[in-house]
Amino acid sequence: MTNLWNNKNFLGLLFMLPAAAFLLLFLVYPLGLGIWLSFTDAKIGTPGEFVGLDNYTWIMGDFKFPTAVFFTI
């Protein structure tokens, strides 16, 4: 076990674990949740039901969407 503590690769991995946990908690989880919510009809205070691609077909049909994408880019 003492040889493991002298291994620079192991120590580097050990020191990176808090940063990786931080990134998973504050970056990956909200991104995944946002993607999941885009496939539901959730509103504030309600869990919502799975609607599949209905939200995406609705936004593609909105005439303001191409303008918003243009100004975003």
Short mmCIF file of all heavy atoms in Angstrom, two decimals:
data_model
loop_
_atom_site.label_atom_id
_atom_site.label_comp_id
_atom_site.label_asym_id
_atom_site.label_seq_id
_atom_site.Cartn_x
_atom_site.Cartn_y
_atom_site.Cartn_z
N MET A 1 0.83 -1.20 0.00
CA MET A 1 0.00 0.00 0.00
C MET A 1 0.86 1.25 0.00
O MET A 1 0.48 2.25 -0.58
CB MET A 1 -0.93 -0.03 1.22
CG MET A 1 -1.90 1.11 1.27
SD MET A 1 -3.14 0.90 0.02
CE MET A 1 -4.18 2.27 0.36
N THR A 2 2.01 1.20 0.66
CA THR A 2 2.87 2.38 0.69
C THR A 2 3.42 2.69 -0.69
O THR A 2 3.66 3.85 -1.02
CB THR A 2 4.03 2.20 1.67
OG1 THR A 2 4.77 1.04 1.29
CG2 THR A 2 3.53 2.06 3.08
N ASN A 3 3.60 1.66 -1.52
CA ASN A 3 4.08 1.89 -2.88
C ASN A 3 3.03 2.63 -3.70
O ASN A 3 3.35 3.42 -4.57
CB ASN A 3 4.44 0.56 -3.53
CG ASN A 3 5.19 0.76 -4.83
OD1 ASN A 3 5.72 1.83 -5.09
ND2 ASN A 3 5.23 -0.27 -5.64
N LEU A 4 1.76 2.38 -3.43
CA LEU A 4 0.67 3.04 -4.15
C LEU A 4 0.66 4.54 -3.85
O LEU A 4 0.41 5.36 -4.73
CB LEU A 4 -0.67 2.41 -3.77
CG LEU A 4 -1.88 2.80 -4.58
CD1 LEU A 4 -1.68 2.42 -6.03
CD2 LEU A 4 -3.11 2.12 -4.04
N TRP A 5 0.95 4.94 -2.61
CA TRP A 5 0.96 6.35 -2.25
C TRP A 5 2.14 7.09 -2.88
O TRP A 5 2.11 8.31 -3.00
CB TRP A 5 0.98 6.53 -0.74
CG TRP A 5 -0.32 6.14 -0.13
CD1 TRP A 5 -0.55 5.03 0.62
CD2 TRP A 5 -1.56 6.83 -0.21
NE1 TRP A 5 -1.87 4.97 1.00
CE2 TRP A 5 -2.51 6.08 0.50
CE3 TRP A 5 -1.96 8.00 -0.83
CZ2 TRP A 5 -3.83 6.47 0.62
CZ3 TRP A 5 -3.29 8.39 -0.71
CH2 TRP A 5 -4.20 7.63 0.01
N ASN A 6 3.16 6.39 -3.29
CA ASN A 6 4.31 7.01 -3.94
C ASN A 6 4.15 7.09 -5.45
O ASN A 6 4.97 7.70 -6.12
CB ASN A 6 5.60 6.24 -3.61
CG ASN A 6 5.96 6.35 -2.14
OD1 ASN A 6 5.64 7.36 -1.52
ND2 ASN A 6 6.61 5.34 -1.61
N ASN A 7 3.10 6.49 -5.98
CA ASN A 7 2.84 6.50 -7.42
C ASN A 7 2.23 7.85 -7.80
O ASN A 7 1.17 8.23 -7.30
CB ASN A 7 1.89 5.35 -7.76
CG ASN A 7 1.69 5.21 -9.25
OD1 ASN A 7 2.04 6.08 -10.03
ND2 ASN A 7 1.11 4.08 -9.63
N LYS A 8 2.90 8.59 -8.69
CA LYS A 8 2.43 9.93 -9.08
C LYS A 8 1.11 9.87 -9.84
O LYS A 8 0.27 10.76 -9.71
CB LYS A 8 3.48 10.64 -9.92
CG LYS A 8 4.68 11.05 -9.12
CD LYS A 8 5.66 11.82 -9.97
CE LYS A 8 6.88 12.20 -9.15
NZ LYS A 8 7.82 13.00 -9.91
N ASN A 9 0.89 8.84 -10.63
CA ASN A 9 -0.37 8.72 -11.36
C ASN A 9 -1.55 8.52 -10.41
O ASN A 9 -2.62 9.11 -10.58
CB ASN A 9 -0.31 7.57 -12.35
CG ASN A 9 0.62 7.86 -13.50
OD1 ASN A 9 0.82 9.01 -13.87
ND2 ASN A 9 1.19 6.81 -14.05
N PHE A 10 -1.35 7.70 -9.40
CA PHE A 10 -2.41 7.47 -8.41
C PHE A 10 -2.70 8.75 -7.64
O PHE A 10 -3.86 9.09 -7.43
CB PHE A 10 -2.02 6.34 -7.46
CG PHE A 10 -3.01 6.15 -6.35
CD1 PHE A 10 -4.23 5.54 -6.59
CD2 PHE A 10 -2.73 6.58 -5.06
CE1 PHE A 10 -5.15 5.38 -5.58
CE2 PHE A 10 -3.64 6.42 -4.04
CZ PHE A 10 -4.86 5.81 -4.30
N LEU A 11 -1.67 9.44 -7.22
CA LEU A 11 -1.88 10.68 -6.47
C LEU A 11 -2.56 11.74 -7.33
O LEU A 11 -3.41 12.49 -6.86
CB LEU A 11 -0.56 11.20 -5.92
CG LEU A 11 0.01 10.44 -4.73
CD1 LEU A 11 1.38 11.00 -4.34
CD2 LEU A 11 -0.94 10.48 -3.57
N GLY A 12 -2.18 11.81 -8.60
CA GLY A 12 -2.83 12.76 -9.50
C GLY A 12 -4.31 12.46 -9.64
O GLY A 12 -5.16 13.36 -9.61
N LEU A 13 -4.65 11.18 -9.78
CA LEU A 13 -6.04 10.77 -9.87
C LEU A 13 -6.78 11.08 -8.57
O LEU A 13 -7.91 11.57 -8.58
CB LEU A 13 -6.14 9.28 -10.19
CG LEU A 13 -7.54 8.70 -10.28
CD1 LEU A 13 -8.29 9.30 -11.46
CD2 LEU A 13 -7.47 7.19 -10.40
N LEU A 14 -6.12 10.82 -7.47
CA LEU A 14 -6.74 11.07 -6.16
C LEU A 14 -7.04 12.56 -5.97
O LEU A 14 -8.10 12.94 -5.46
CB LEU A 14 -5.82 10.57 -5.05
CG LEU A 14 -6.37 10.60 -3.64
CD1 LEU A 14 -7.53 9.62 -3.50
CD2 LEU A 14 -5.27 10.27 -2.65
N PHE A 15 -6.12 13.41 -6.39
CA PHE A 15 -6.33 14.86 -6.24
C PHE A 15 -7.35 15.41 -7.24
O PHE A 15 -7.92 16.46 -7.02
CB PHE A 15 -5.01 15.61 -6.39
CG PHE A 15 -4.08 15.41 -5.23
CD1 PHE A 15 -2.73 15.24 -5.44
CD2 PHE A 15 -4.55 15.41 -3.93
CE1 PHE A 15 -1.86 15.06 -4.38
CE2 PHE A 15 -3.69 15.23 -2.85
CZ PHE A 15 -2.34 15.06 -3.08
N MET A 16 -7.58 14.71 -8.33
CA MET A 16 -8.56 15.15 -9.33
C MET A 16 -9.98 14.72 -8.99
O MET A 16 -10.94 15.24 -9.55
CB MET A 16 -8.18 14.62 -10.71
CG MET A 16 -6.99 15.32 -11.31
SD MET A 16 -7.25 17.08 -11.53
CE MET A 16 -8.54 17.10 -12.73
N LEU A 17 -10.15 13.77 -8.09
CA LEU A 17 -11.49 13.28 -7.77
C LEU A 17 -12.42 14.37 -7.23
O LEU A 17 -13.59 14.42 -7.65
CB LEU A 17 -11.40 12.12 -6.79
CG LEU A 17 -10.99 10.79 -7.40
CD1 LEU A 17 -10.84 9.72 -6.32
CD2 LEU A 17 -11.97 10.35 -8.45
N PRO A 18 -12.00 15.26 -6.34
CA PRO A 18 -12.93 16.32 -5.91
C PRO A 18 -13.36 17.23 -7.06
O PRO A 18 -14.53 17.63 -7.14
CB PRO A 18 -12.15 17.10 -4.86
CG PRO A 18 -11.10 16.17 -4.39
CD PRO A 18 -10.77 15.29 -5.56
N ALA A 19 -12.44 17.55 -7.96
CA ALA A 19 -12.79 18.40 -9.10
C ALA A 19 -13.76 17.67 -10.03
O ALA A 19 -14.71 18.26 -10.55
CB ALA A 19 -11.54 18.80 -9.87
N ALA A 20 -13.54 16.38 -10.24
CA ALA A 20 -14.44 15.60 -11.09
C ALA A 20 -15.83 15.52 -10.47
O ALA A 20 -16.85 15.63 -11.16
CB ALA A 20 -13.87 14.21 -11.32
N ALA A 21 -15.89 15.32 -9.16
CA ALA A 21 -17.19 15.28 -8.48
C ALA A 21 -17.90 16.62 -8.60
O ALA A 21 -19.11 16.68 -8.82
CB ALA A 21 -16.99 14.90 -7.01
N PHE A 22 -17.17 17.71 -8.45
CA PHE A 22 -17.73 19.04 -8.59
C PHE A 22 -18.31 19.25 -9.99
O PHE A 22 -19.41 19.75 -10.16
CB PHE A 22 -16.65 20.09 -8.29
CG PHE A 22 -17.12 21.51 -8.40
CD1 PHE A 22 -17.81 22.10 -7.36
CD2 PHE A 22 -16.89 22.24 -9.54
CE1 PHE A 22 -18.25 23.41 -7.44
CE2 PHE A 22 -17.32 23.55 -9.64
CZ PHE A 22 -18.01 24.13 -8.59
N LEU A 23 -17.55 18.85 -11.02
CA LEU A 23 -18.03 19.00 -12.39
C LEU A 23 -19.27 18.16 -12.65
O LEU A 23 -20.21 18.61 -13.31
CB LEU A 23 -16.92 18.63 -13.38
CG LEU A 23 -15.77 19.62 -13.48
CD1 LEU A 23 -14.68 19.06 -14.37
CD2 LEU A 23 -16.26 20.95 -14.00
N LEU A 24 -19.27 16.93 -12.16
CA LEU A 24 -20.44 16.08 -12.35
C LEU A 24 -21.66 16.66 -11.67
O LEU A 24 -22.75 16.67 -12.23
CB LEU A 24 -20.17 14.68 -11.81
CG LEU A 24 -19.29 13.79 -12.67
CD1 LEU A 24 -18.96 12.51 -11.94
CD2 LEU A 24 -19.98 13.49 -13.99
N LEU A 25 -21.46 17.17 -10.47
CA LEU A 25 -22.60 17.69 -9.71
C LEU A 25 -23.16 18.97 -10.30
O LEU A 25 -24.37 19.13 -10.44
CB LEU A 25 -22.18 17.92 -8.25
CG LEU A 25 -23.25 18.43 -7.31
CD1 LEU A 25 -24.34 17.38 -7.15
CD2 LEU A 25 -22.64 18.75 -5.96
N PHE A 26 -22.30 19.89 -10.69
CA PHE A 26 -22.77 21.22 -11.08
C PHE A 26 -22.82 21.46 -12.59
O PHE A 26 -23.34 22.50 -13.01
CB PHE A 26 -21.91 22.29 -10.42
CG PHE A 26 -22.11 22.37 -8.94
CD1 PHE A 26 -21.13 21.90 -8.08
CD2 PHE A 26 -23.28 22.87 -8.41
CE1 PHE A 26 -21.33 21.96 -6.71
CE2 PHE A 26 -23.47 22.93 -7.05
CZ PHE A 26 -22.49 22.47 -6.20
N LEU A 27 -22.31 20.56 -13.40
CA LEU A 27 -22.36 20.73 -14.85
C LEU A 27 -23.13 19.63 -15.55
O LEU A 27 -24.05 19.88 -16.32
CB LEU A 27 -20.95 20.83 -15.43
CG LEU A 27 -20.15 22.06 -15.04
CD1 LEU A 27 -18.74 21.98 -15.61
CD2 LEU A 27 -20.83 23.32 -15.52
N VAL A 28 -22.74 18.40 -15.31
CA VAL A 28 -23.33 17.28 -16.04
C VAL A 28 -24.77 17.02 -15.60
O VAL A 28 -25.65 16.81 -16.43
CB VAL A 28 -22.45 16.02 -15.89
CG1 VAL A 28 -23.10 14.82 -16.55
CG2 VAL A 28 -21.08 16.27 -16.49
N TYR A 29 -25.03 17.04 -14.29
CA TYR A 29 -26.39 16.78 -13.82
C TYR A 29 -27.40 17.80 -14.34
O TYR A 29 -28.46 17.41 -14.86
CB TYR A 29 -26.42 16.71 -12.29
CG TYR A 29 -27.81 16.59 -11.73
CD1 TYR A 29 -28.53 15.41 -11.87
CD2 TYR A 29 -28.43 17.67 -11.11
CE1 TYR A 29 -29.82 15.29 -11.39
CE2 TYR A 29 -29.72 17.57 -10.63
CZ TYR A 29 -30.41 16.38 -10.76
OH TYR A 29 -31.68 16.29 -10.29
N PRO A 30 -27.15 19.11 -14.24
CA PRO A 30 -28.14 20.06 -14.79
C PRO A 30 -28.33 19.94 -16.30
O PRO A 30 -29.44 20.10 -16.80
CB PRO A 30 -27.57 21.43 -14.43
CG PRO A 30 -26.69 21.19 -13.28
CD PRO A 30 -26.11 19.83 -13.50
N LEU A 31 -27.25 19.63 -17.01
CA LEU A 31 -27.38 19.45 -18.46
C LEU A 31 -28.26 18.25 -18.77
O LEU A 31 -29.16 18.32 -19.61
CB LEU A 31 -26.00 19.27 -19.09
CG LEU A 31 -25.99 19.05 -20.60
CD1 LEU A 31 -26.53 20.27 -21.33
CD2 LEU A 31 -24.59 18.71 -21.06
N GLY A 32 -28.02 17.15 -18.10
CA GLY A 32 -28.84 15.95 -18.31
C GLY A 32 -30.29 16.18 -17.91
O GLY A 32 -31.22 15.73 -18.59
N LEU A 33 -30.50 16.89 -16.81
CA LEU A 33 -31.86 17.18 -16.37
C LEU A 33 -32.58 18.07 -17.38
O LEU A 33 -33.76 17.87 -17.68
CB LEU A 33 -31.84 17.83 -15.00
CG LEU A 33 -33.19 18.17 -14.38
CD1 LEU A 33 -34.01 16.90 -14.16
CD2 LEU A 33 -33.02 18.93 -13.08
N GLY A 34 -31.87 19.05 -17.92
CA GLY A 34 -32.47 19.92 -18.93
C GLY A 34 -32.86 19.16 -20.19
O GLY A 34 -33.92 19.41 -20.77
N ILE A 35 -32.01 18.24 -20.60
CA ILE A 35 -32.33 17.42 -21.77
C ILE A 35 -33.54 16.54 -21.48
O ILE A 35 -34.44 16.41 -22.30
CB ILE A 35 -31.11 16.60 -22.20
CG1 ILE A 35 -30.04 17.54 -22.75
CG2 ILE A 35 -31.48 15.54 -23.22
CD1 ILE A 35 -28.70 16.88 -23.00
N TRP A 36 -33.57 15.93 -20.29
CA TRP A 36 -34.71 15.10 -19.93
C TRP A 36 -36.01 15.93 -19.89
O TRP A 36 -37.04 15.51 -20.40
CB TRP A 36 -34.49 14.41 -18.59
CG TRP A 36 -35.74 13.79 -18.06
CD1 TRP A 36 -36.49 14.20 -17.01
CD2 TRP A 36 -36.43 12.66 -18.62
NE1 TRP A 36 -37.58 13.39 -16.85
CE2 TRP A 36 -37.58 12.44 -17.83
CE3 TRP A 36 -36.20 11.82 -19.70
CZ2 TRP A 36 -38.48 11.42 -18.10
CZ3 TRP A 36 -37.10 10.80 -19.96
CH2 TRP A 36 -38.22 10.60 -19.17
N LEU A 37 -35.95 17.11 -19.30
CA LEU A 37 -37.14 17.95 -19.21
C LEU A 37 -37.62 18.42 -20.57
O LEU A 37 -38.80 18.71 -20.75
CB LEU A 37 -36.88 19.16 -18.30
CG LEU A 37 -36.78 18.85 -16.81
CD1 LEU A 37 -36.40 20.11 -16.05
CD2 LEU A 37 -38.08 18.28 -16.29
N SER A 38 -36.72 18.49 -21.55
CA SER A 38 -37.15 18.90 -22.88
C SER A 38 -38.02 17.85 -23.55
O SER A 38 -38.71 18.15 -24.52
CB SER A 38 -35.93 19.21 -23.76
OG SER A 38 -35.26 18.02 -24.14
N PHE A 39 -38.00 16.64 -23.04
CA PHE A 39 -38.85 15.58 -23.57
C PHE A 39 -40.13 15.39 -22.76
O PHE A 39 -40.86 14.43 -22.97
CB PHE A 39 -38.09 14.25 -23.62
CG PHE A 39 -36.98 14.23 -24.64
CD1 PHE A 39 -35.66 14.28 -24.25
CD2 PHE A 39 -37.27 14.18 -25.99
CE1 PHE A 39 -34.64 14.27 -25.17
CE2 PHE A 39 -36.25 14.17 -26.92
CZ PHE A 39 -34.94 14.22 -26.52
N THR A 40 -40.41 16.30 -21.83
CA THR A 40 -41.62 16.21 -21.02
C THR A 40 -42.44 17.49 -21.16
O THR A 40 -41.97 18.47 -21.73
CB THR A 40 -41.29 16.01 -19.53
OG1 THR A 40 -40.66 17.18 -19.04
CG2 THR A 40 -40.41 14.80 -19.31
N ASP A 41 -43.64 17.47 -20.62
CA ASP A 41 -44.47 18.67 -20.61
C ASP A 41 -44.51 19.28 -19.21
O ASP A 41 -45.51 19.82 -18.78
CB ASP A 41 -45.88 18.38 -21.11
CG ASP A 41 -46.64 17.39 -20.25
OD1 ASP A 41 -46.02 16.79 -19.35
OD2 ASP A 41 -47.85 17.22 -20.46
N ALA A 42 -43.39 19.21 -18.51
CA ALA A 42 -43.30 19.68 -17.12
C ALA A 42 -43.49 21.19 -17.04
O ALA A 42 -43.03 21.94 -17.89
CB ALA A 42 -41.96 19.30 -16.51
N LYS A 43 -44.20 21.60 -16.03
CA LYS A 43 -44.36 23.00 -15.70
C LYS A 43 -43.86 23.19 -14.27
O LYS A 43 -43.63 22.22 -13.56
CB LYS A 43 -45.83 23.41 -15.77
CG LYS A 43 -46.51 23.11 -17.09
CD LYS A 43 -46.54 24.31 -17.95
CE LYS A 43 -47.39 24.14 -19.19
NZ LYS A 43 -46.96 23.14 -20.12
N ILE A 44 -43.71 24.41 -13.82
CA ILE A 44 -43.24 24.67 -12.46
C ILE A 44 -44.25 24.11 -11.47
O ILE A 44 -45.43 24.43 -11.53
CB ILE A 44 -43.02 26.17 -12.22
CG1 ILE A 44 -41.91 26.68 -13.12
CG2 ILE A 44 -42.70 26.44 -10.76
CD1 ILE A 44 -41.68 28.16 -13.06
N GLY A 45 -43.78 23.23 -10.59
CA GLY A 45 -44.63 22.65 -9.57
C GLY A 45 -45.29 21.34 -9.97
O GLY A 45 -45.94 20.71 -9.14
N THR A 46 -45.15 20.92 -11.23
CA THR A 46 -45.72 19.65 -11.66
C THR A 46 -44.62 18.80 -12.27
O THR A 46 -43.72 19.32 -12.92
CB THR A 46 -46.84 19.85 -12.70
OG1 THR A 46 -46.28 20.47 -13.86
CG2 THR A 46 -47.95 20.71 -12.16
N PRO A 47 -44.67 17.49 -12.08
CA PRO A 47 -43.60 16.64 -12.61
C PRO A 47 -43.63 16.50 -14.13
O PRO A 47 -42.59 16.35 -14.75
CB PRO A 47 -43.83 15.29 -11.93
CG PRO A 47 -45.26 15.31 -11.52
CD PRO A 47 -45.62 16.75 -11.28
N GLY A 48 -44.78 16.56 -14.75
CA GLY A 48 -44.87 16.44 -16.20
C GLY A 48 -44.87 15.01 -16.66
O GLY A 48 -44.51 14.09 -15.93
N GLU A 49 -45.28 14.82 -17.90
CA GLU A 49 -45.33 13.49 -18.50
C GLU A 49 -44.47 13.50 -19.76
O GLU A 49 -44.30 14.52 -20.41
CB GLU A 49 -46.77 13.12 -18.85
CG GLU A 49 -47.64 12.92 -17.64
CD GLU A 49 -49.03 12.46 -18.01
OE1 GLU A 49 -49.21 11.90 -19.12
OE2 GLU A 49 -49.94 12.66 -17.20
N PHE A 50 -43.98 12.33 -20.12
CA PHE A 50 -43.14 12.19 -21.29
C PHE A 50 -43.96 12.46 -22.55
O PHE A 50 -45.01 11.87 -22.76
CB PHE A 50 -42.55 10.78 -21.34
CG PHE A 50 -41.59 10.56 -22.47
CD1 PHE A 50 -40.31 11.06 -22.40
CD2 PHE A 50 -41.97 9.87 -23.60
CE1 PHE A 50 -39.42 10.87 -23.44
CE2 PHE A 50 -41.10 9.68 -24.64
CZ PHE A 50 -39.82 10.17 -24.56
N VAL A 51 -43.47 13.38 -23.41
CA VAL A 51 -44.17 13.71 -24.64
C VAL A 51 -43.31 13.45 -25.87
O VAL A 51 -43.74 13.72 -26.99
CB VAL A 51 -44.66 15.17 -24.65
CG1 VAL A 51 -45.74 15.39 -23.60
CG2 VAL A 51 -43.52 16.14 -24.49
N GLY A 52 -42.11 12.96 -25.68
CA GLY A 52 -41.25 12.64 -26.81
C GLY A 52 -40.75 13.88 -27.52
O GLY A 52 -40.28 14.83 -26.90
N LEU A 53 -40.86 13.90 -28.83
CA LEU A 53 -40.34 15.00 -29.64
C LEU A 53 -41.37 16.10 -29.91
O LEU A 53 -41.12 16.97 -30.73
CB LEU A 53 -39.82 14.46 -30.96
CG LEU A 53 -38.61 13.51 -30.85
CD1 LEU A 53 -38.27 12.94 -32.22
CD2 LEU A 53 -37.43 14.22 -30.25
N ASP A 54 -42.49 16.08 -29.19
CA ASP A 54 -43.54 17.09 -29.42
C ASP A 54 -43.03 18.51 -29.19
O ASP A 54 -43.38 19.43 -29.94
CB ASP A 54 -44.75 16.84 -28.52
CG ASP A 54 -45.55 15.63 -28.95
OD1 ASP A 54 -45.31 15.15 -30.08
OD2 ASP A 54 -46.40 15.19 -28.17
N ASN A 55 -42.21 18.71 -28.18
CA ASN A 55 -41.69 20.06 -27.91
C ASN A 55 -40.80 20.53 -29.06
O ASN A 55 -40.81 21.71 -29.42
CB ASN A 55 -40.89 20.08 -26.61
CG ASN A 55 -41.79 19.90 -25.41
OD1 ASN A 55 -42.95 20.27 -25.42
ND2 ASN A 55 -41.23 19.33 -24.35
N TYR A 56 -40.03 19.62 -29.63
CA TYR A 56 -39.14 19.99 -30.72
C TYR A 56 -39.91 20.26 -32.02
O TYR A 56 -39.57 21.18 -32.76
CB TYR A 56 -38.08 18.91 -30.94
CG TYR A 56 -37.11 18.82 -29.79
CD1 TYR A 56 -37.25 17.85 -28.81
CD2 TYR A 56 -36.09 19.74 -29.66
CE1 TYR A 56 -36.37 17.79 -27.75
CE2 TYR A 56 -35.20 19.69 -28.61
CZ TYR A 56 -35.35 18.71 -27.65
OH TYR A 56 -34.48 18.67 -26.60
N THR A 57 -40.94 19.49 -32.29
CA THR A 57 -41.74 19.77 -33.48
C THR A 57 -42.50 21.08 -33.33
O THR A 57 -42.69 21.81 -34.30
CB THR A 57 -42.73 18.62 -33.77
OG1 THR A 57 -43.54 18.39 -32.63
CG2 THR A 57 -41.98 17.35 -34.13
N TRP A 58 -42.93 21.39 -32.11
CA TRP A 58 -43.62 22.66 -31.87
C TRP A 58 -42.68 23.84 -32.10
O TRP A 58 -43.05 24.82 -32.75
CB TRP A 58 -44.18 22.69 -30.45
CG TRP A 58 -44.80 24.00 -30.10
CD1 TRP A 58 -46.04 24.44 -30.47
CD2 TRP A 58 -44.19 25.05 -29.35
NE1 TRP A 58 -46.24 25.71 -29.96
CE2 TRP A 58 -45.11 26.11 -29.28
CE3 TRP A 58 -42.97 25.20 -28.72
CZ2 TRP A 58 -44.85 27.29 -28.61
CZ3 TRP A 58 -42.70 26.38 -28.06
CH2 TRP A 58 -43.64 27.40 -28.01
N ILE A 59 -41.46 23.77 -31.58
CA ILE A 59 -40.53 24.90 -31.72
C ILE A 59 -40.09 25.07 -33.17
O ILE A 59 -39.86 26.19 -33.62
CB ILE A 59 -39.32 24.75 -30.77
CG1 ILE A 59 -38.60 26.09 -30.61
CG2 ILE A 59 -38.34 23.73 -31.24
CD1 ILE A 59 -39.30 27.10 -29.82
N MET A 60 -39.97 23.99 -33.91
CA MET A 60 -39.60 24.10 -35.32
C MET A 60 -40.70 24.77 -36.14
O MET A 60 -40.44 25.40 -37.16
CB MET A 60 -39.28 22.73 -35.92
CG MET A 60 -38.03 22.12 -35.38
SD MET A 60 -36.61 23.10 -35.78
CE MET A 60 -35.33 22.16 -35.00
N GLY A 61 -41.95 24.66 -35.69
CA GLY A 61 -43.06 25.28 -36.39
C GLY A 61 -43.28 26.74 -36.03
O GLY A 61 -44.05 27.44 -36.69
N ASP A 62 -42.61 27.22 -35.02
CA ASP A 62 -42.77 28.61 -34.59
C ASP A 62 -41.98 29.52 -35.54
O ASP A 62 -40.81 29.31 -35.80
CB ASP A 62 -42.25 28.76 -33.16
CG ASP A 62 -42.57 30.12 -32.56
OD1 ASP A 62 -43.27 30.91 -33.22
OD2 ASP A 62 -42.09 30.40 -31.45
N PHE A 63 -42.62 30.57 -36.04
CA PHE A 63 -41.97 31.44 -37.03
C PHE A 63 -40.88 32.30 -36.42
O PHE A 63 -40.03 32.84 -37.14
CB PHE A 63 -43.02 32.32 -37.74
CG PHE A 63 -43.60 33.40 -36.87
CD1 PHE A 63 -43.06 34.68 -36.90
CD2 PHE A 63 -44.68 33.14 -36.06
CE1 PHE A 63 -43.59 35.69 -36.11
CE2 PHE A 63 -45.22 34.14 -35.27
CZ PHE A 63 -44.67 35.41 -35.30
N LYS A 64 -40.85 32.47 -35.09
CA LYS A 64 -39.80 33.26 -34.44
C LYS A 64 -38.53 32.47 -34.20
O LYS A 64 -37.48 33.05 -33.91
CB LYS A 64 -40.31 33.79 -33.10
CG LYS A 64 -41.45 34.76 -33.22
CD LYS A 64 -41.88 35.21 -31.84
CE LYS A 64 -43.11 36.10 -31.93
NZ LYS A 64 -43.58 36.49 -30.61
N PHE A 65 -38.57 31.15 -34.29
CA PHE A 65 -37.44 30.30 -33.95
C PHE A 65 -36.23 30.56 -34.86
O PHE A 65 -35.11 30.71 -34.33
CB PHE A 65 -37.84 28.83 -33.98
CG PHE A 65 -36.72 27.90 -33.65
CD1 PHE A 65 -36.21 27.84 -32.37
CD2 PHE A 65 -36.18 27.06 -34.61
CE1 PHE A 65 -35.18 26.98 -32.04
CE2 PHE A 65 -35.14 26.21 -34.31
CZ PHE A 65 -34.65 26.16 -33.02
N PRO A 66 -36.36 30.61 -36.18
CA PRO A 66 -35.17 30.88 -37.01
C PRO A 66 -34.53 32.23 -36.70
O PRO A 66 -33.30 32.35 -36.71
CB PRO A 66 -35.70 30.83 -38.44
CG PRO A 66 -36.95 30.06 -38.37
CD PRO A 66 -37.53 30.32 -37.02
N THR A 67 -35.33 33.23 -36.41
CA THR A 67 -34.78 34.55 -36.06
C THR A 67 -34.01 34.46 -34.75
O THR A 67 -32.92 35.04 -34.62
CB THR A 67 -35.91 35.57 -35.95
OG1 THR A 67 -36.68 35.56 -37.14
CG2 THR A 67 -35.37 36.95 -35.69
N ALA A 68 -34.54 33.75 -33.76
CA ALA A 68 -33.86 33.61 -32.48
C ALA A 68 -32.54 32.87 -32.64
O ALA A 68 -31.52 33.25 -32.04
CB ALA A 68 -34.75 32.88 -31.49
N VAL A 69 -32.51 31.83 -33.49
CA VAL A 69 -31.28 31.10 -33.73
C VAL A 69 -30.26 32.00 -34.44
O VAL A 69 -29.07 32.01 -34.10
CB VAL A 69 -31.54 29.82 -34.55
CG1 VAL A 69 -30.24 29.18 -35.01
CG2 VAL A 69 -32.37 28.83 -33.74
N PHE A 70 -30.73 32.79 -35.38
CA PHE A 70 -29.84 33.70 -36.11
C PHE A 70 -29.19 34.70 -35.17
O PHE A 70 -27.98 34.91 -35.21
CB PHE A 70 -30.62 34.44 -37.22
CG PHE A 70 -29.83 35.47 -37.92
CD1 PHE A 70 -28.86 35.11 -38.85
CD2 PHE A 70 -30.02 36.81 -37.64
CE1 PHE A 70 -28.12 36.07 -39.50
CE2 PHE A 70 -29.28 37.78 -38.29
CZ PHE A 70 -28.32 37.41 -39.22
N PHE A 71 -30.00 35.31 -34.29
CA PHE A 71 -29.44 36.30 -33.37
C PHE A 71 -28.56 35.64 -32.31
O PHE A 71 -27.65 36.28 -31.78
CB PHE A 71 -30.54 37.13 -32.73
CG PHE A 71 -31.14 38.13 -33.65
CD1 PHE A 71 -32.50 38.20 -33.86
CD2 PHE A 71 -30.33 39.03 -34.33
CE1 PHE A 71 -33.05 39.15 -34.71
CE2 PHE A 71 -30.87 39.98 -35.19
CZ PHE A 71 -32.22 40.03 -35.38
N THR A 72 -28.83 34.41 -31.97
CA THR A 72 -27.99 33.70 -30.99
C THR A 72 -26.61 33.41 -31.57
O THR A 72 -25.60 33.58 -30.90
CB THR A 72 -28.67 32.39 -30.57
OG1 THR A 72 -29.92 32.70 -29.96
CG2 THR A 72 -27.79 31.63 -29.59
N ILE A 73 -26.60 33.01 -32.83
CA ILE A 73 -25.31 32.71 -33.49
C ILE A 73 -24.56 33.99 -33.74
O ILE A 73 -23.39 34.13 -33.51
CB ILE A 73 -25.53 31.92 -34.77
CG1 ILE A 73 -26.09 30.54 -34.45
CG2 ILE A 73 -24.25 31.80 -35.57
CD1 ILE A 73 -26.50 29.74 -35.63
#
